[in-house]
């Protein structure tokens, strides 16, 4: 049925009314106060683009660069804050934790120092937390485990130390966990295996210990995990046959550890295994024939071990680099 003049007019009227409503909404004072506190603490590269007092825009003034606002009832609230690669120097801006409607916080590639404050746990609506490529330090706060909506957590390329908090297992929607290039110690909590949606776990280039057997000891663990990066740590023990139960695995990166034993043929039955990195450990014996017949396996690196003569790699050895941006939404 073709729209009548009345229905067309009504649609235009409602659209104009919503635009007028949005333009006359006031920004929540809580968010105005928090953003102006952040503005006062940041360097000139950010401040020069933040004109006026209202981060969501006021009159002819546009919203501040990197600030996204939404309307909730009669107010505008800040829902996204993206201030990256602008050489912010100094401690993590605690005022950020007053922006209770944030769904995305991206401060990556700056020069932030000190710890992540425990008040980070207040941001209950946060889905993406990206703090990679800073100089943050101390322990990863367990309060991150209170961010029940979190899907992406990027803490790589910092100076975090201490153990990975088991509270991260309380994040039911977590899909991507990037912890590489820090100074983390201890064991990866096997509780992370209960995360039903976790696709990517990168804990490479730390000081972690333990065995894969310990990591996957919970029955039915890591059901959605595609990429497991444990390279450049101090893992010991062998590759357990039970690892084949992680049937979604595509990348298994175990290079530069202290692992030993023989490689079980069951691993060759992981259906979509594409990249297998075993190099620079203490593995021995033969590589079972099914690996060489796997329909998806493109690369298998084996050098720097004690395999029997005649054991051959698959593919050509090059450094595997996956950018964090490949996983951002």
């Amino acid at each position: 049925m073709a729209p009548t003049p009345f229905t067309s007019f009504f649609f235009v009227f409602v659209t104009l009314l919503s635009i007028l409503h949005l333009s006359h909404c006031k920004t929540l004072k809580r968010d105005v106060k928090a953003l102006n506190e952040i503005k006062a603490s940041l360097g000139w590269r950010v401040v020069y683009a933040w004109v006026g007092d209202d981060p969501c825009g006021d009159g002819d003034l546009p919203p501040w660069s990197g600030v996204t606002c939404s309307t909730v009832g009669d107010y505008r609230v800040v829902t996204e804050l993206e201030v990256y690669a602008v050489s912010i120097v100094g401690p993590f801006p605690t005022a950020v934790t007053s922006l209770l409607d944030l769904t995305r916080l991206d401060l990556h590639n700056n020069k932030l120092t000190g710890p992540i404050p425990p008040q980070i746990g207040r941001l209950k609506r946060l889905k993406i937390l990206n703090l990679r490529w800073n100089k943050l330090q101390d322990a990863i706060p367990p309060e991150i485990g209170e961010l029940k909506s979190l899907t992406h957590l990027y803490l790589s390329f910092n100076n975090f130390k201490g153990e990975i908090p088991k509270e991260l297992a309380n994040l039911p929607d977590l899909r991507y966990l990037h912890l590489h290039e820090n100074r983390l110690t201890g064991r990866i909590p096997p509780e992370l295996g209960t995360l039903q949606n976790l696709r990517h776990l990168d804990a490479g280039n730390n000081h972690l210990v333990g065995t894969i057997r310990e990591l996957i000891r919970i029955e039915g663990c890591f059901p959605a995990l595609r990429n497991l990066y444990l390279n450049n740590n101090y893992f010991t023990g062998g590759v357990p046959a039970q690892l084949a139960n992680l049937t979604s695995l595509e990348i298994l990166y175990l290079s530069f550890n202290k692992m030993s034993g023989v490689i079980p043929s069951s691993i060759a039955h992981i259906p979509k295994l594409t990249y297998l990195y075993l190099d620079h450990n203490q593995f021995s014996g033969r590589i079972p024939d099914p690996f060489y017949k796997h329909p998806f396996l493109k690369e298998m690196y084996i050098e720097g071990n004690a395999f029997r003569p005649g054991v051959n790699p698959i593919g050509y050895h090059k450094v595997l680099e996956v950018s964090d941006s490949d996983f951002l939404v």
Side-chain angles (χ1 to χ4, degrees):
M1 181 182 295
T4 65
F6 174 77
T7 56
S8 298
F9 171 79
F10 181 75
F11 175 77
V12 172
F13 175 76
V14 170
T15 302
L16 288 172
L17 192 64
S18 63
I19 293 172
L20 287 171
H21 175 71
L22 178 63
S23 64
H24 285 87
C25 282
K26 291 185 177 181
T27 304
L28 199 65
K29 288 183 179 180
R30 174 201 70 196
D31 290 5
V32 173
K33 181 176 183 292
L35 261 299
N36 276 280
E37 286 181 16
I38 296 168
K39 178 180 178 179
S41 67
L42 298 183
W44 66 270
R45 294 190 184 193
V46 176
V47 173
Y48 87 93
W50 285 8
V51 180
D53 296 325
D54 191 334
C56 297
D58 188 10
D60 295 331
L61 295 176
W64 291 359
S65 175
V67 176
T68 301
C69 300
S70 300
T71 302
V72 177
D74 294 328
Y75 292 93
R76 293 180 299 185
V77 296
V78 177
T79 53
E80 297 184 8
L81 180 61
E82 300 175 86
V83 185
Y84 51 84
V86 288
S87 299
I88 299 173
V89 177
F92 183 97
T94 305
V96 165
T97 63
S98 294
L99 301 171
L100 301 185
D101 291 286
L102 274 186
T103 60
R104 180 193 291 259
L105 176 59
D106 188 346
L107 302 177
H108 84 269
N109 199 10
N110 284 295
K111 298 178 182 179
L112 295 173
T113 56
I116 299 175
Q119 297 95 316
I120 194 75
R122 300 174 63 196
L123 303 179
K124 306 298 185 186
R125 293 185 171 89
L126 201 62
K127 294 182 178 180
I128 298 174
L129 177 58
N130 189 354
L131 301 175
R132 74 187 194 275
W133 287 107
N134 277 286
K135 298 181 179 181
L136 295 165
Q137 56 203 65
D138 294 345
I140 297 172
E143 288 81 4
I144 289 181
E146 299 173 14
L147 307 178
K148 303 298 185 183
S149 298
L150 205 64
T151 60
H152 295 63
L153 178 58
Y154 299 94
L155 301 178
S156 47
F157 297 100
N158 279 284
N159 294 313
F160 293 115
K161 60 183 180 180
E163 298 190 353
I164 299 170
K166 66 179 184 296
E167 286 81 2
L168 297 185
N170 297 331
L171 303 173
D173 296 327
L174 191 65
R175 297 180 183 180
Y176 298 100
L177 178 56
H178 287 246
L179 301 173
H180 61 280
E181 288 282 356
N182 281 288
R183 300 177 183 178
L184 298 170
T185 56
R187 289 168 164 77
I188 299 177
E191 290 86 354
L192 294 183
T194 64
L195 294 171
Q196 297 296 302
N197 296 298
L198 189 64
R199 299 177 185 176
H200 184 97
L201 171 56
D202 188 348
N205 290 87
N206 280 286
H207 305 294
L208 299 168
V209 299
T211 66
I212 293 181
R213 186 178 299 277
E214 294 169 341
L215 177 60
I216 64 171
R217 64 178 175 82
I218 297 176
E219 187 174 354
C221 64
F222 297 111
L225 193 65
R226 298 177 184 174
N227 308 322
L228 179 59
Y229 290 66
L230 302 176
N231 55 290
N232 297 81
N233 281 290
Y234 298 97
F235 283 91
T236 54
V239 176
Q242 296 90 328
L243 188 63
N245 294 331
L246 276 60
T247 55
S248 297
L249 266 188
E250 298 176 11
I251 298 175
L252 179 59
Y253 199 175
L254 304 177
S255 306
F256 291 95
N257 278 285
K258 297 181 179 298
M259 300 181 67
S260 59
V262 298
I263 305 301
S265 60
S266 62
I267 305 303
H269 299 295
I270 298 176
K272 294 184 180 180
L273 187 64
T274 308
Y275 300 98
L276 176 61
Y277 300 95
L278 305 171
D279 53 290
H280 299 93
N281 280 281
Q282 299 164 21
F283 294 120
S284 58
R286 297 184 182 276
I287 299 289
D289 289 340
F291 283 95
Y292 297 98
K293 300 175 182 178
H294 195 292
F296 289 99
L297 192 58
K298 294 180 179 179
E299 295 178 359
M300 179 176 67
Y301 299 160
I302 61 173
E303 64 267 30
N305 284 288
F307 289 118
R308 291 185 182 181
V311 173
N312 295 313
I314 298 174
Y316 296 98
H317 198 162
K318 60 181 182 294
V319 176
L320 180 67
E321 291 290 349
V322 181
S323 169
D324 284 352
S325 61
D326 293 339
F327 303 100
L328 281 173
V329 297

